[in-house]
């Protein structure tokens, strides 16, 4: 079922999970994923980095547990 989900559906589920973790006090930040075998950042990241690097400019330094900031991070990452 997960593999058949659209990228938008997967992104929404990841956002929902991130928001729930933030509500529990965990700091979160979005990372790129894999779609059709390629990194969602659009670059050729190679097999080691593809889908494993931050989707924000400052990476883990952008992590937050504030629900409003989480929404902003995810909105910016999903452009």
């Amino acid at each position: 079922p997960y593999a058949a989900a659209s990228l938008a559906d997967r992104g929404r589920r990841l956002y929902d999970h991130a928001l729930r973790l933030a509500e529990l006090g965990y700091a979160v930040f979005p990372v790129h994923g894999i779609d059709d075998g390629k990194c969602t950042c659009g670059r050729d990241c190679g097999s080691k980095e593809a889908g494993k690097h931050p989707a924000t400019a400052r990476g883990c330094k952008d992590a937050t547990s504030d629900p409003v900031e989480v929404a902003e991070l995810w909105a910016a990452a999903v452009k």
Side-chain angles (χ1 to χ4, degrees):
Y2 184 77
S6 74
L7 185 58
D9 291 340
R10 285 183 278 172
R12 179 62 195 199
R13 279 199 305 265
L14 291 172
Y15 167 72
D16 289 343
H17 288 296
L19 192 56
R20 178 69 180 125
L21 287 169
E23 289 169 349
L24 293 171
Y26 292 95
V28 297
F29 63 97
V31 296
H32 288 289
I34 302 286
D35 189 42
D36 282 337
K38 297 178 183 172
C39 187
T40 57
C41 74
R43 296 178 300 180
D44 181 13
C45 299
S47 61
K48 283 190 132 186
E49 295 298 318
K52 299 177 185 172
H53 59 95
T56 65
R58 299 180 330 132
C60 64
K61 292 180 180 180
D62 286 323
T64 181
S65 60
D66 180 294
V68 173
E69 291 180 14
V70 170
E72 291 170 356
L73 286 176
W74 256 258
V78 179
K79 289 183 197 178

